[in-house]
Amino acid sequence: LAAISGSVVVLVIVLAVSVRIKDHVGLLIVGLMVGHITAAVVSIWQHFSQPEQIQDYMIWGFGSLGSVRESQLLIMGLVVFVGIFFSFFISKPLNSLLLGENYARSMGLSIQKTRILIIGTTCLLAGVVTAFCGPIGFLGVAVPHLMRSLLNTSDHRILIPSTCLGGAVVMLACDILAKMPASQAILPINAVTALLGAPVVIMVILRRRSTRSIF
């Protein structure tokens, strides 16, 4: 609940700023600044924490699929199922929005309700996965673009299930690489996902030459 609430607060702040800033690049910069503010707050909390708590936080921050206990898996599975269900439910509204808000309104779509549903679903999934598995980055940005390029489609009825499956496959592959077969060392899974995801994002930006058409 705390993780989902935190994701909602951060997203609401960015959305509130987006009302006044229409430039996509400026909005990205604001998002980065909000990230720095939250990092500063976390650093202050760490300063007043016990060494054991700091160690637990650092291990959680590396990201891991193996830290979820069986009792937690049931809760996580139920929340993820609800989030994925709503993701499939909004696939048609997302297709309507591809042609612009005016077209979506002419088709009888409620833009405000759709936005709330999209934001709520995003915060629900991001919050629960981050809470139990840690802040595993780049997959949420890289995999959708990768699926769109591989399938050559913008139909969300195809993209959403393919992204779910593709994200799971990539995540498991990164987890296997992080455990370094034939070695006792275990790499932070965040490092592995960044090494795989960052080049995909850079490639997409170089191909389209504009952040406006990407985000």
Side-chain angles (χ1 to χ4, degrees), residues 2-187:
I4 294 171
S5 301
S7 63
V8 170
V9 170
V10 172
L11 190 54
V12 166
I13 292 174
V14 175
L15 288 175
V17 174
S18 69
V19 174
R20 301 189 62 180
I21 300 178
K22 302 301 180 182
D23 181 62
H24 288 66
V25 177
L27 190 58
L28 287 173
I29 294 174
V30 170
L32 290 174
M33 294 304 101
V34 173
H36 285 300
I37 292 173
T38 56
V41 174
V42 170
S43 297
I44 294 173
W45 281 342
Q46 285 181 307
H47 179 75
F48 294 101
S49 300
Q50 299 296 324
E52 297 81 6
Q53 295 174 322
I54 297 175
Q55 183 180 8
D56 290 340
Y57 173 78
M58 290 183 63
I59 294 174
W60 171 83
F62 290 149
S64 174
L65 299 182
S67 60
V68 182
R69 298 189 295 270
E70 291 184 4
S71 58
Q72 298 172 332
L73 188 60
L74 178 61
I75 300 173
M76 179 182 175
L78 289 174
V79 178
V80 169
F81 176 80
V82 172
I84 292 178
F85 171 79
F86 282 111
S87 297
F88 284 109
F89 181 76
I90 61 178
S91 59
K92 288 185 178 180
L94 286 172
N95 285 340
S96 300
L97 289 171
L98 288 175
L99 300 176
E101 292 186 2
N102 291 331
Y103 172 81
R105 287 192 182 95
S106 67
M107 297 295 293
L109 181 67
S110 175
I111 303 297
Q112 191 70 21
K113 291 181 180 179
T114 302
R115 282 178 175 171
I116 293 174
L117 188 57
I118 293 172
I119 293 170
T121 302
T122 303
C123 294
L124 186 69
L125 288 171
V128 70
V129 173
T130 302
F132 289 108
C133 301
I136 301 172
F138 284 99
L139 287 182
V141 178
V143 174
H145 287 299
L146 188 61
M147 291 296 104
R148 183 178 285 120
S149 299
L150 290 176
L151 300 177
N152 194 26
T153 181
S154 296
D155 189 350
H156 288 88
R157 292 174 297 181
I158 299 175
L159 284 177
I160 289 178
S162 62
T163 300
C164 291
L165 181 60
V169 171
V170 173
M171 185 67 241
L172 288 174
C174 291
D175 188 54
I176 293 172
L177 291 175
K179 293 180 179 177
M180 297 183 65
S183 173
Q184 297 295 327
I186 299 178
L187 296 175

